[in-house]
Amino acid sequence: MSSSTSSALVLAAAVLLAALTVAQHGSLAAAAGPRVIIVGAGMSGISAAKTLSEAGITDLLILEATDRIGGRMHKKNFSGINVEIGANWVEGVNGGKMNPIWPIVNETLKLRNFLTDFSVATNIYKEDGGLYDEAYVQKIIDRADAVESKGEKLSASLPASGSDDISILAMQRLYDHQPNGPATPVDMVVDYFKYDFEGAEPPRVTSLQTTVPNPTFTDFGEDEYFVADHLGYETVVHYLAGQYLKTDSSGKIVDPRLLLNKVVTEISYSSSGVSVRTEDKSGVLHW
Ligand SMILES: Cc1cc2nc3c(=O)[nH]c(=O)nc-3n(C[C@H](O)[C@H](O)[C@H](O)COP(=O)(O)OP(=O)(O)OC[C@H]3O[C@@H](n4cnc5c(N)ncnc54)[C@H](O)[C@@H]3O)c2cc1C
Ligand SMILES: *[C@@H]1O[C@H](CO)[C@@H](O)[C@H](O)[C@H]1NC(C)=O
Ligand SMILES: *[C@@H]1O[C@H](CO)[C@@H](O)[C@H](O)[C@H]1NC(C)=O
């Protein structure tokens, strides 16, 4: 995540910006409905609502399926210790632009964090035990990096429209990576680490143009900080929410514009507006 992350996140949020006519509890209470409904109270939804709020659009409703905000930023109490089960790193720090998440983590909330030194070459294990030789692994990393550099040049030469975009795997084949993509165990580990881990999808389906180079790192810097704080990385989402949603003295969000346990099941558009249907324990409601 990062500002390009932030904006990517905001784009990803299911924000219904149309002038919403909302059917409340089955009746067509058009004028009374919120102007904006945001589906999901993860980083995207909470950030999108904050941006709207700051722009003076406060007549909004956030519908969240689960009983908590934060989405995939999520800690779990595991035998007395809070363990992150979702996002863990602030990715992209110490570059030209400031990653907007970083000052919140490191200065405002002072969440305990550590610079991660990914020394991949020194810790790749063989299937039958023992470590791979560091020099051998380094050679493979260097080759993967060299192929990626060629991919970066190709990526930069493609039309901005994306009409000629190709997958990362297609790019690797173009530059004779072995020659049909990574094949040896270490090549596959390095490939997984470079692409699947960052892109959350295999290189076969990942766009070259939008991920090579990765704007998170070109904009915000190469460094990554691991958040290891008992409060959890999700505190960032609570902090952002607390900027515009009403909280009680304990910090709990009590704003009526955030509704938890509301699973959106249908969004329908008609000439009279947009209708959002939610499901909860008492059945299906119309919002
Ligand atoms: C294991 C893991 C590790 C990660 N590690 C990192 C990392 O180290 N660094 C990093 O920057 N990023 C990391 N990420 C990615 C990061 O967590 C996500 O990109 C980010 O949290 C996504 O935020 P979001 O708001 O877009 O989506 P989400 O956090 O998924 O939020 C979507 C919200 O919408 C709700 N919702 C879904 N459907 C409905 C519905 N029908 N009705 C109502 N509500 C609905 C969900 O319950 C959820 O709360 C990781 C992700 C995972 C899963
Ligand atoms: C985890 O849960 C246990 C038992 O409910 C509780 O005693 C403990 O304080 C919790 N730990 C954290 C870090 O929240
Ligand atoms: C994080 O905060 C600490 C303490 O204020 C500061 O010394 C450090 O330089 C900050 N780190 C970065 C990378 O900004």
Side-chain angles (χ1 to χ4, degrees), residues 178-192:
Q178 317 208 323
N180 285 308
T184 70
V186 175
D187 272 288
M188 287 161 82
V189 165
V190 169
D191 197 56
Y192 177 88

Side-chain angles (χ1 to χ4, degrees), residues 86-125:
N88 222 142
W89 280 271
V90 183
E91 303 209 33
V93 181
N94 295 324
K97 287 192 222 162
M98 178 62 84
N99 181 336
I101 291 169
W102 179 240
I104 300 175
V105 166
N106 196 50
E107 279 153 41
T108 310
L109 301 173
K110 297 196 192 310
L111 299 180
R112 189 163 161 263
N113 65 75
F114 302 90
L115 176 70
T116 298
D117 167 20
F118 289 103
S119 40
V120 181
T122 56
N123 56 18
I124 297 183
Y125 288 84

Side-chain angles (χ1 to χ4, degrees), residues 120-227:
V120 181
T122 56
N123 56 18
I124 297 183
Y125 288 84
K126 295 178 183 167
E127 277 172 81
D128 53 2
L131 284 164
Y132 276 101
D133 174 64
E134 190 181 333
Y136 168 76
V137 174
Q138 193 56 54
K139 239 171 90 182
I140 286 176
I141 293 174
D142 292 345
R143 181 170 62 198
D145 287 346
V147 171
E148 188 175 50
S149 295
K150 290 184 190 166
E152 266 186 52
K153 288 206 188 81
L154 174 64
S155 175
S157 75
L158 296 173
S161 68
S163 58
D164 292 353
D165 195 9
I166 58 173
S167 71
I168 287 171
L169 179 60
M171 175 277 284
Q172 290 172 326
R173 286 173 172 162
L174 269 179
Y175 296 118
D176 269 343
H177 200 319
Q178 317 208 323
N180 285 308
T184 70
V186 175
D187 272 288
M188 287 161 82
V189 165
V190 169
D191 197 56
Y192 177 88
F193 183 70
K194 282 178 86 75
Y195 301 114
D196 308 59
F197 180 70
E198 286 301 341
E201 292 286 352
R204 172 174 54 79
V205 298
T206 303
S207 148
L208 173 74
Q209 226 174 327
T210 52
T211 65
V212 178
N214 185 329
T216 295
F217 302 114
T218 48
D219 291 354
F220 301 126
E222 295 289 325
D223 290 345
E224 301 181 43
Y225 286 81
F226 188 76
V227 177

Side-chain angles (χ1 to χ4, degrees), residues 77 80-82 230:
N77 183 334
I81 295 167
N82 282 333
H230 69 283

Side-chain angles (χ1 to χ4, degrees), residues 241-249 251-258:
Q243 307 275 293
Y244 64 96
L245 294 176
K246 193 167 168 263
T247 53
D248 67 14
S249 57
K252 188 174 173 270
I253 298 164
V254 290
D255 199 300
R257 294 173 299 168
L258 170 68

